[in-house]
Amino acid sequence: MASESGDSNMDREMILADFQACTGIDNIAEAITLLELNNWDLVAAINGVIPQENGILQSNFSSEASQASMYGPPSQSEAADAAAGVAVPPPSSSSSSSSPPSSSTSAFCPVNSSSRHIVERQSRMLNFRVEYRQRSVELVLEEGSTVGEIKQILETELGVPVSKMQLKGWKSGDVSDSTVLRSLHLPKNISLYVLTPDIAPTASTSKNSALPESLNQNFLLVISHREAQRDYNLNFPGTRTIQEVKRNISDLTNIPVRHQQWEGWPASASDDSMTLAVSGISYPCHHLSVCRRSSPANAQEPTEECADVHMISDSEGDDFEDASEFGVDDSEMFGMGASTCRKSPMMPENSENEADALLHFTAEFSSRYGETHPMFFIGSLEAASQEAFYGKARDRKLLAIYLHNDDSVLSNVFCSQMMCADSIVSYLSQNFITWAWDVTKEANKARLLTMCTRHFGSVVTQTIRTYKTDQFPLLLIVMGKRTSNEVLNVIQGNTTVDELMMRLMGAMEIFTAQQQEDIKDEDEREARETVKREQDEAYRLSLEADRKKREVQEREEAEQVRLERMRKEQEEEKEAIRLSLEQALPPEPEEESGEQISKLRIRTPSGEFLERRFLGSCKLQVLFDFVASKGYPFDEFKLLTTFPRRNITQLDPGSTLLEAKLFPQETLFLEAKE
């Protein structure tokens, strides 16, 4: 049942493309409505629209042509003539009643057999841009032309023989020279490139003269590793080969050379043994990007001559123009669509690692719709939410969750026309973190619902469940708030580029207003925290100053205590010496003792007088001890006579008072030593 549903959706997608290509209706929702009104009958829907939208021509055919159309379906040549605007006879009324007409013929004729109506159509013009080494050629051809005609024009323009020319870049792979462009279902604008493996690259005379100088130059290669979202700025000399560069990148990124997928190499850099000087890269700086090939089973190995050339066709957002024109057999058209539209699923089922699943999704998205698409976040939904919501307020972004479903008829249109539009890609890259998931498989859808329930609550999960398959893809716009995450908008697949941009801008306005409040609150909080930090720092410095002051004071007090203790000890020591000297003094003699007595009067520095009687036979040391016992030690004071002035302390302490001529009386004075 699942395969039948997938085939039905594929048929509807192709019918929608054919209907828009024939009627010119660009509004997808309107086109789907008209088809649903006619139960997805392409012929009935076109016949209901053409009389109001397109001019009708009347044409009378010969009986032979009429009979030819009655006996069988039109040939391929007749179908091609019909697509080019040549009148093709419709089937007769009898044949129409007996069997339903094919879409290729009935698309150009109404049911009324009496007046044979056909649609007047002009041949579609295709714009080609062909790259060959350092040259670019632009061509405009009718879609009725063949591939061989393109090569003949290129032979004239490039001077390359057709026999040695390989024209690459076709979506359907290699094609033969006789292939008609119309059968390839090409978009309006196509980019191709020419390979000439049998012709060695040649340089002009000016380049040959400048080659030695280029070999001595250093080239700056800015290489972007897409999975790691990291840039490497590497300097290489001109003599370094492309193969050596790839090996160096293999060491940096752990991607083997055979698994590297490059973008940015010039078309002339077709050989890995070529040096950078002759490869055609820009000097002094050249930008490249590298990633790992999605899967060996899904990614076809490129041929040797075009291993590093990646040309991508640009449909300019108009995928419906590559639908087949009417006149091509339906079975052929749908058969090609079924074989080329879906090579592999967007996301493997039951992938253990979300990052690996997203890498596969990004690679498959690029292979289907080209490299111009939003940069999908590689990682879990939780990591994407952290990146979008939980940084600084100025760095926060909206989270865009893209939900893809291959079973929806709108998926191909939405991806090619909306998600790959330059304006949408640029706006999403600047303002959103874009995360993607494929819900085609039930296991992946259940896994997504579990993640949404954990991060956004059951309301968002129930909302996703209510959408039917035909309403996919969905683009959820999520904004992070203080308490919870809020889904601002759910954009369905049936929209236009302008409407999508308006809804993105509307969500951005709401987010910007909230972001300004968050920035204001964050600034105020940071200001408060700054003031608190400054106060804490000032308090810390004050405590530090008080601590140092207290330590100085304590040291001073301790020093005073120490000095006081030393002073007391010294005083106690002096007092002990004084007392010992005082006790050792001989007794003072009486005046009437009959011995020779010397009466001495000593003036102290304070003006007081000390008087005592000594025996004339006493030693000077006794006099010095007496003075010291009164608090004037011998080592601090000197004892002087008045006239003549003599320093008694300089005399021999063992001499007597008589010998010192201090008899019978003498007045002395004490003076501090200098």
Side-chain angles (χ1 to χ4, degrees), residues 123-272:
S123 182
R124 187 161 165 260
M125 305 302 292
L126 302 177
N127 300 323
F128 291 88
R129 181 182 179 88
V130 184
E131 302 284 345
Y132 176 63
R133 295 181 179 173
Q134 302 297 328
R135 297 188 58 183
S136 175
V137 179
E138 295 185 358
L139 306 175
V140 179
L141 290 90
E142 296 182 355
E143 63 178 0
S145 305
T146 63
V147 176
E149 293 178 14
I150 298 179
K151 289 187 176 181
Q152 291 175 1
I153 298 175
L154 292 176
E155 180 179 16
T156 304
E157 294 289 337
L158 303 176
V160 178
V162 174
S163 59
K164 297 184 178 181
M165 182 187 306
Q166 295 182 9
L167 194 57
K168 301 288 185 179
W170 306 102
K171 286 185 177 180
S172 57
D174 293 339
V175 297
S176 63
D177 291 355
S178 60
T179 303
V180 180
L181 300 179
R182 183 184 297 108
S183 65
L184 299 177
H185 312 297
L186 299 173
K188 186 175 182 180
N189 299 290
I190 310 101
S191 295
L192 304 175
Y193 57 95
V194 173
L195 292 179
T196 54
D198 297 334
I199 301 177
T202 59
S204 62
T205 305
S206 59
K207 289 186 178 181
N208 286 332
S209 61
L211 181 58
E213 181 180 354
S214 299
L215 291 173
N216 296 327
Q217 291 175 340
N218 286 331
F219 292 82
L220 173 62
L221 299 185
V222 181
I223 302 175
S224 175
H225 183 196
R226 291 204 296 270
E227 288 92 346
Q229 298 182 359
R230 179 177 178 182
D231 291 341
Y232 297 97
N233 298 326
L234 306 176
N235 283 296
F236 292 100
T239 55
R240 189 68 58 88
T241 64
I242 297 176
Q243 182 68 23
E244 291 173 329
V245 173
K246 292 183 178 180
R247 288 174 181 169
N248 288 340
I249 291 301
S250 175
D251 295 335
L252 291 174
T253 62
N254 293 325
I255 303 176
V257 174
R258 65 181 182 278
H259 293 159
Q260 293 175 4
Q261 182 172 343
W262 288 84
E263 290 182 10
W265 289 110
S268 58
S270 57
D271 187 358
D272 284 358

Side-chain angles (χ1 to χ4, degrees), residues 212-372:
E213 181 180 354
S214 299
L215 291 173
N216 296 327
Q217 291 175 340
N218 286 331
F219 292 82
L220 173 62
L221 299 185
V222 181
I223 302 175
S224 175
H225 183 196
R226 291 204 296 270
E227 288 92 346
Q229 298 182 359
R230 179 177 178 182
D231 291 341
Y232 297 97
N233 298 326
L234 306 176
N235 283 296
F236 292 100
T239 55
R240 189 68 58 88
T241 64
I242 297 176
Q243 182 68 23
E244 291 173 329
V245 173
K246 292 183 178 180
R247 288 174 181 169
N248 288 340
I249 291 301
S250 175
D251 295 335
L252 291 174
T253 62
N254 293 325
I255 303 176
V257 174
R258 65 181 182 278
H259 293 159
Q260 293 175 4
Q261 182 172 343
W262 288 84
E263 290 182 10
W265 289 110
S268 58
S270 57
D271 187 358
D272 284 358
S273 62
M274 186 180 297
T275 63
L276 297 179
V278 299
S279 64
I281 63 174
S282 303
Y283 177 80
C285 178
H286 190 81
H287 290 263
L288 300 167
S289 63
V290 66
C291 66
R292 184 184 294 273
R293 297 187 188 280
S294 58
S295 172
N298 298 328
Q300 183 179 359
E301 280 292 325
T303 58
E304 181 180 355
E305 57 268 23
C306 61
D308 294 320
V309 181
H310 303 275
M311 305 296 292
I312 301 169
S313 298
D314 183 9
S315 62
E316 291 187 354
D318 193 6
D319 276 22
F320 281 117
E321 290 195 8
D322 57 4
S324 63
E325 299 291 345
F326 285 93
V328 179
D329 185 68
D330 282 347
S331 61
E332 176 186 351
M333 177 179 67
F334 287 108
M336 176 171 289
S339 63
T340 60
C341 283
R342 224 168 258 118
K343 293 183 179 180
S344 63
M346 272 291 193
M347 184 174 289
E349 191 172 7
N350 296 323
S351 177
E352 296 181 359
N353 192 309
E354 295 178 15
D356 293 340
L358 265 297
L359 283 174
H360 187 282
F361 182 94
T362 303
E364 181 62 24
F365 195 98
S366 300
S367 66
R368 291 189 190 184
Y369 308 110
E371 294 294 336
T372 303

Side-chain angles (χ1 to χ4, degrees), residues 370-386:
E371 294 294 336
T372 303
H373 60 73
M375 185 176 66
F376 297 115
F377 183 87
I378 305 300
S380 64
L381 181 58
E382 180 180 3
S385 301
Q386 291 284 343

Side-chain angles (χ1 to χ4, degrees), residues 10 47 93 152 170-172 243 260 306 336 338 352 420 446 481 488 492 501 536 539 638 651-652 667:
M10 173 66 72
N47 285 334
S93 59
Q152 291 175 1
W170 306 102
K171 286 185 177 180
S172 57
Q243 182 68 23
Q260 293 175 4
C306 61
M336 176 171 289
E352 296 181 359
C420 294
K481 305 193 77 173
L488 295 180
Q492 301 181 34
M501 178 60 75
D536 292 343
Y539 180 69
K638 54 186 177 180
L651 299 178
D652 183 10
T667 300

Side-chain angles (χ1 to χ4, degrees), residues 382-393:
E382 180 180 3
S385 301
Q386 291 284 343
E387 181 75 15
F389 304 147
Y390 298 106
K392 284 189 170 292

Side-chain angles (χ1 to χ4, degrees), residues 634 636-640 645 647 649 669-673:
F634 176 76
E636 296 180 9
F637 294 89
K638 54 186 177 180
L639 193 60
L640 306 174
R645 184 180 176 87
N647 187 355
T649 55
F669 64 91
L670 289 169
E671 187 177 282
K673 291 183 178 181

